[in-house]
Amino acid sequence: MRRRWATWILLRSCVTRLHRSHPLFHTSAALLPSVRCLGTTATLRDDGGGGQRVMVEKRWREFFTDPSQWWDNRMEKGNPGYPDFRHKKSKEPLWIDGKFNPPWVESELAAIVPGTVQLNTFSWNTRLASCAKNGRYEEAIRLFQQMQQEGIIPDTFTYVRVLNACAGLQALEEGRRIHTWIIQSCCESNVFVGSSLVDMYAKCGSIEDAQKVFDRMPSRNVVSWNAMILGYVKCGQGQKALELYRQMQSSGVQPDSVTFVGLLNACASAVALEEGRGVHKQIIQSGCESEVYVGSSLVDMYAKCGSIEDAQKVFDRMPTRNVVSWNAIILGHVKCGQGWKALALSHQMQQEGVEPDPVTFLALLNACASVGTLDEGRRVEEQIIQSSCKFDVFVGNSLVDMYAKCGSIDDALRVFNNMSTRNVVAWSSMILGHVKCGQGQQALALYQQMQLEGVQPNPVTFVGVLNACASVVALEEGRNVHEQIIQSGFESDAFVGSSLVDMYAKCGSIEDAQSVFIKMRIRDVVAWTAMILGHVKCGQGQKALALFQQMQQEGVEPNPVTCVGAVAACASVEALEEGRHVEKQIIQSGYESDVFISNSLIDMYSKCGSIKDASRVFHRMPTRDVVSWTAMLGGFAMHGHAKEAVGHFEMMCEGAIELNSITFVSLLSACSHAGLVDEGLQYIESMGFVYSCPATLKHYSCTVDLLGRAGYLEEAEELIKTMSCEPDVALWMTLLGASRVHRNVELGEHIAKKVLELDPGNTSGYVVLSDM
């Protein structure tokens, strides 16, 4: 007996206390003896005689009547003297090898599931459980294979643990081989082995096999249903998971907290807000709402379903909030476009002593990127450096993306160059960052470097590179990228296809754009918009309008950018009635308050000759920017309404509207057409020191035209000689045209020589002289 006791102590000293790490064991604390091995012997230190034997036998009969009423402590025993089973209510203990056990106990235990009582499997199962608990899944599978080689017969506990290892590694083929062993050992009908099989197949991505095992199970408990529901959630089939839950309720199985977490994830993935609210009611009835993981899942579900108010209410009611809860509410605010609120929550989280983890940092970096706050982004980077997350590749990728979106390409490049591992996400962020900052050539150079380093592009990379080609009008590079896209098999990707259409259109090859567009299997609003804008750019307004109509006939709803393209098409062909029809569609779509669309409408009506409609749109706008004011000013100038243009300009000044270069071009043009010489000269003289808007060649050209139209030819020539920038041929031609109007041949001849000096091949000066 002493040797037996010493063996126990030696064994326990080598094995750390094991916890139930598999989710199947979290949801049902009372497990049948068939779930775990029965262990080696432990001495029951009893002093009693016959009476003790009767008492122990009575307990065993109670145990076999309903094992679910007993806690199974065998794999969590820190001391061999602790009981193997303990009654949940009375706390009465039982030992498998107790001194007063009736002789029939061992055979009864073995009869529950064939192969359950295998005392020599205990040490193997202990090692197997340790590997599975600590994530050493490959080692667990090797141990199982070694057991087979040494002739150790696995029990149900062995199968549960090795299936968990297969699930962790997503080792589908190994899982199928183990499934074959389970069938041969007649253990598949065991509810816990079956549940582990369902879980393994689902996590390995074979939901069909999981469903087959589930359908064959003779009995299913909450663990089985949870495994199947979570499997469908993992595979992105949220509605199927909700349907399965209804079947579970019909079968009389009561959900637990794991079920609710799975259902909330299903509602979140399917954006099923009403179903989520229904699940929330059941959670309240079950009393699980106060559990931190259930509460966190509720916050996450409401946020992903777009109800950030409900998410905040649940979060505020939570009695205990861990980092998962905080991450859920922070990510929810980021998703709903409330980046500043997300950043404020992160400050509150740290004030309450909750340390951020990598998920928190990812959310905060996304928040900084969404609101463009560079200072906050740098503060988050400092926190990351101080934490253990600084080498996390995902955090590094998000840092690069944040700095690029905030316009600090130098910071993005610094982080990028310091990354020990740079995957395709980091490269894509850098490429897109350079494109956003107007550095298309640098983006293309980065793409070439990425390929030299052997990193394969993904669809996001190709979208960035195509945008770079479009920004620098690099048609040949775009065609080369198109060939690589075809070779990579990404041509059918909707975003890549739309970017190809956009690139070809912006590079002036509308035929190539049309060719890609026709081949697209799925043409979303982005693709249609790219084609419409491409035709407008190429001067094919009528074709753009035809595409706009065809798009709606095919059931694709226009977005604000599409509407801007349609309005621009009407402006390009001066199609007033079509423009009014497009405006009606814009109002029906609820976009009339969009400032960009309204600005386009003002410009379109001005170009189509209806200054009245332009003014109507302008006065209807709830908010106006400098473009709105300038477009209206340009409309007045275009129609010769100089007084209205000047009055409009004064209103802009009174309203503290920030004036830009185009504003003064329109104003000077209005003065030129109305002959307001003094006013025009006053405006150009005051541009720099009063309005902080330095005069450019375009402004001087308008002023020369103003003076020339009024006959002040010498003053116009003097202005050209004294202006702050070098005159070009077009400016001299403006003055030459004025000389012809006023028949000043001497000045015209002088100016014609200037034109020839700047552009020897330009004969238009002599043509004007001959007309004179």
Side-chain angles (χ1 to χ4, degrees):
M1 179 61 71
R2 288 179 181 175
R3 183 179 300 171
R4 192 172 173 187
W5 181 253
T7 303
W8 256 109
I9 294 174
L10 179 63
L11 179 63
R12 286 296 180 181
S13 67
C14 299
V15 180
T16 58
R17 185 176 182 180
L18 301 175
H19 296 282
R20 299 174 179 180
S21 60
H22 191 282
L24 300 176
F25 291 102
H26 285 292
T27 58
S28 182
L31 302 178
L32 291 174
S34 58
V35 177
R36 298 178 175 156
C37 69
L38 298 180
T40 57
T41 57
T43 304
L44 176 63
R45 293 172 289 180
D46 277 334
D47 300 326
Q52 189 71 16
R53 293 180 186 279
V54 172
M55 180 184 68
V56 171
E57 183 170 1
K58 179 183 177 183
R59 290 179 189 169
W60 277 112
R61 294 194 183 282
E62 290 178 1
F63 174 85
F64 287 111
T65 300
D66 188 2
S68 66
Q69 297 302 311
W70 294 74
W71 294 106
D72 184 346
N73 303 319
R74 285 170 291 167
M75 290 308 299
E76 293 181 356
K77 288 169 58 171
N79 187 315
Y82 291 159
D84 296 304
F85 304 105
R86 186 181 291 279
H87 197 274
K88 291 182 178 180
K89 293 182 179 179
S90 67
K91 310 301 181 184
E92 293 176 339
L94 282 174
W95 283 262
I96 290 173
D97 57 351
K99 180 178 179 181
F100 298 107
N101 281 351
W104 51 265
V105 169
E106 187 170 323
S107 60
E108 286 290 330
L109 284 170
I112 293 176
V113 172
T116 296
V117 181
Q118 296 291 334
L119 301 182
N120 59 346
T121 64
F122 177 80
S123 60
W124 288 91
N125 285 341
T126 301
R127 293 163 62 193
L128 198 65
S130 176
C131 292
K133 174 188 174 184
N134 294 300
R136 304 196 307 272
Y137 300 129
E138 293 179 352
E139 186 179 344
I141 292 174
R142 284 198 299 271
L143 276 174
F144 177 74
Q145 293 169 345
Q146 189 178 347
M147 285 180 68
Q148 293 174 302
Q149 292 169 1
E150 297 188 15
I152 306 298
I153 300 175
D155 59 22
T156 53
F157 177 77
T158 314
Y159 288 130
V160 167
R161 286 303 186 190
V162 75
L163 287 171
N164 292 349
C166 292
L169 286 174
Q170 295 188 358
L172 181 59
E173 293 308 313
E174 186 64 30
R176 283 182 171 141
R177 281 193 289 272
I178 294 168
H179 189 181
T180 303
W181 274 73
I182 291 170
I183 293 171
Q184 292 172 354
S185 63
C186 302
C187 291
E188 189 186 31
S189 60
N190 177 271
V191 66
F192 298 101
V193 174
S195 299
S196 295
L197 278 168
V198 171
D199 182 67
M200 181 274 295
Y201 278 126
K203 287 180 177 175
C204 289
S206 182
I207 196 68
E208 297 81 8
D209 286 319
Q211 186 68 58
K212 288 177 184 176
V213 174
F214 183 79
D215 292 339
R216 285 200 303 267
M217 292 178 70
S219 62
R220 308 181 191 115
N221 59 10
V222 66
V223 180
S224 322
W225 287 97
N226 287 348
M228 201 65 224
I229 289 171
L230 289 169
Y232 276 112
V233 173
K234 180 180 181 296
C235 294
Q237 301 184 33
Q239 288 294 347
K240 181 66 177 177
L242 293 171
E243 179 184 333
L244 201 65
Y245 173 61
R246 288 188 281 269
Q247 295 177 21
M248 169 183 168
Q249 290 179 300
S250 300
S251 66
V253 178
Q254 294 299 314
D256 60 12
S257 57
V258 176
T259 319
F260 289 131
V261 168
L263 291 173
L264 291 170
N265 289 340
C267 294
S269 66
V271 196
L273 180 59
E274 292 309 313
E275 288 86 341
R277 286 186 169 133
V279 173
H280 189 179
K281 289 179 182 178
Q282 294 176 319
I283 289 170
I284 294 171
Q285 292 170 358
S286 69
C288 295
E289 191 184 25
S290 60
E291 294 186 25
V292 65
Y293 289 105
V294 175
S296 301
S297 296
L298 274 168
V299 173
D300 182 67
M301 180 275 294
Y302 278 126
K304 287 181 178 175
C305 289
S307 181
I308 194 66
E309 297 80 10
D310 285 318
Q312 189 69 54
K313 288 177 183 177
V314 173
F315 180 79
D316 292 339
R317 283 200 306 266
M318 291 179 70
T320 305
R321 298 184 295 215
N322 61 8
V323 67
V324 178
S325 323
W326 283 99
N327 288 346
I329 193 66
I330 290 170
L331 282 166
H333 281 288
V334 173
K335 180 181 181 295
C336 294
Q338 301 177 11
W340 286 114
K341 177 65 175 177
L343 292 170
L345 280 167
S346 75
H347 296 315
Q348 182 185 345
M349 164 187 166
Q350 293 173 72
Q351 287 171 0
E352 294 188 14
V354 180
E355 291 296 322
D357 64 5
V359 177
T360 319
F361 289 130
L362 290 174
L364 295 179
L365 291 172
N366 286 337
C368 293
S370 68
V371 296
T373 170
L374 189 57
D375 291 337
E376 279 292 320
R378 286 177 175 147
R379 187 187 65 80
V380 174
E381 185 187 7
E382 289 177 5
Q383 289 183 288
I384 293 168
I385 292 172
Q386 294 169 3
S387 73
S388 59
C389 303
K390 57 184 176 181
F391 299 115
D392 188 294
V393 66
F394 300 105
V395 173
N397 292 342
S398 293
L399 268 171
V400 171
D401 182 67
M402 180 274 294
Y403 279 128
K405 287 180 178 175
C406 289
S408 180
I409 201 67
D410 292 335
D411 280 317
L413 194 57
R414 170 181 56 80
V415 175
F416 180 76
N417 289 333
N418 289 332
M419 291 177 70
S420 57
T421 303
R422 298 186 298 199
N423 60 13
V424 66
V425 178
W427 285 96
S428 299
S429 295
M430 280 304 301
I431 290 169
L432 286 165
H434 279 291
V435 173
K436 181 179 184 294
C437 294
Q439 301 177 9
Q441 289 294 354
Q442 291 89 329
L444 293 175
L446 269 174
Y447 177 62
Q448 292 174 352
Q449 184 184 345
M450 167 185 161
Q451 292 177 298
L452 290 173
E453 294 191 16
V455 180
Q456 295 299 316
N458 63 14
V460 178
T461 320
F462 284 127
V463 168
V465 176
L466 290 169
N467 289 344
C469 293
S471 68
V472 296
V473 196
L475 181 58
E476 289 308 312
E477 288 86 343
R479 284 182 172 140
N480 292 334
V481 174
H482 190 179
E483 289 179 7
Q484 292 175 315
I485 289 169
I486 293 170
Q487 292 169 2
S488 302
F490 293 133
E491 192 179 23
S492 60
D493 182 275
F495 296 104
V496 173
S498 299
S499 297
L500 274 169
V501 172
D502 182 67
M503 181 274 294
Y504 279 127
K506 286 180 178 175
C507 289
S509 182
I510 198 67
E511 296 81 9
D512 285 319
Q514 184 73 32
S515 176
V516 174
F517 183 75
I518 291 171
K519 291 177 184 176
M520 291 178 69
R521 290 183 298 176
I522 300 174
R523 297 185 294 203
D524 60 7
V525 66
V526 179
W528 284 97
T529 302
M531 277 305 298
I532 290 169
L533 290 171
H535 281 290
V536 172
K537 181 178 182 295
C538 294
Q540 301 176 12
Q542 288 294 351
K543 179 64 176 176
L545 289 173
L547 278 170
F548 182 65
Q549 293 173 355
Q550 183 185 346
M551 174 187 109
Q552 294 173 86
Q553 289 170 0
E554 293 189 15
V556 180
E557 291 295 325
N559 64 18
V561 182
T562 323
C563 294
V564 169
V567 171
C570 295
S572 68
V573 294
E574 299 182 10
L576 181 59
E577 289 308 314
E578 287 86 343
R580 286 174 175 153
H581 180 68
V582 171
E583 185 187 3
K584 288 180 182 178
Q585 292 177 295
I586 289 169
I587 294 171
Q588 290 171 359
S589 301
Y591 296 143
E592 71 272 17
S593 61
D594 186 289
V595 66
F596 299 104
I597 293 177
S598 296
N599 292 344
S600 298
L601 283 169
I602 293 170
D603 180 68
M604 181 270 294
Y605 280 129
S606 298
K607 289 179 179 177
C608 290
S610 179
I611 195 66
K612 182 179 178 181
D613 281 317
S615 183
R616 172 179 55 80
V617 172
F618 178 81
H619 290 292
R620 185 184 66 196
M621 294 176 69
T623 57
R624 308 181 189 101
D625 59 9
V626 64
V627 179
S628 318
W629 285 89
T630 301
M632 197 64 236
L633 180 59
F636 286 130
M638 194 182 304
H639 290 270
H641 300 319
K643 291 183 179 179
E644 289 84 350
V646 171
H648 191 79
F649 176 77
E650 291 174 353
M651 289 173 63
M652 291 179 71
C653 296
E654 291 172 3
I657 306 297
E658 185 178 353
L659 309 176
N660 62 22
S661 176
I662 301 173
T663 309
F664 283 100
V665 169
S666 299
L667 180 63
L668 291 169
S669 177
C671 293
S672 176
H673 285 86
L676 302 176
V677 177
D678 293 338
E679 290 85 345
L681 290 174
Q682 180 184 347
Y683 290 136
I684 194 165
E685 287 175 4
S686 60
M687 278 183 65
F689 64 87
V690 175
Y691 300 106
S692 300
C693 185
T696 65
L697 197 60
K698 187 70 175 174
H699 300 112
Y700 285 115
S701 180
C702 291
T703 310
V704 168
D705 182 62
L706 166 67
L707 292 169
R709 284 173 182 263
Y712 296 106
L713 302 181
E714 288 77 10
E715 290 82 352
E717 184 181 15
E718 186 63 26
L719 176 65
I720 294 175
K721 292 177 181 179
T722 59
M723 68 186 196
S724 58
C725 51
E726 286 294 323
D728 62 359
V729 173
L731 185 57
W732 286 110
M733 287 297 296
T734 300
L735 184 54
L736 181 59
S739 301
R740 186 197 60 165
V741 171
H742 295 283
R743 300 185 179 279
N744 191 330
V745 179
E746 182 181 353
L747 180 61
E749 186 175 357
H750 171 65
I751 296 171
K753 290 179 181 179
K754 287 282 188 184
V755 172
L756 284 173
E757 287 175 7
L758 292 173
D759 186 5
N762 192 330
T763 59
S764 56
Y766 288 116
V767 174
V768 176
L769 278 175
S770 67
D771 289 342
M772 293 171 64

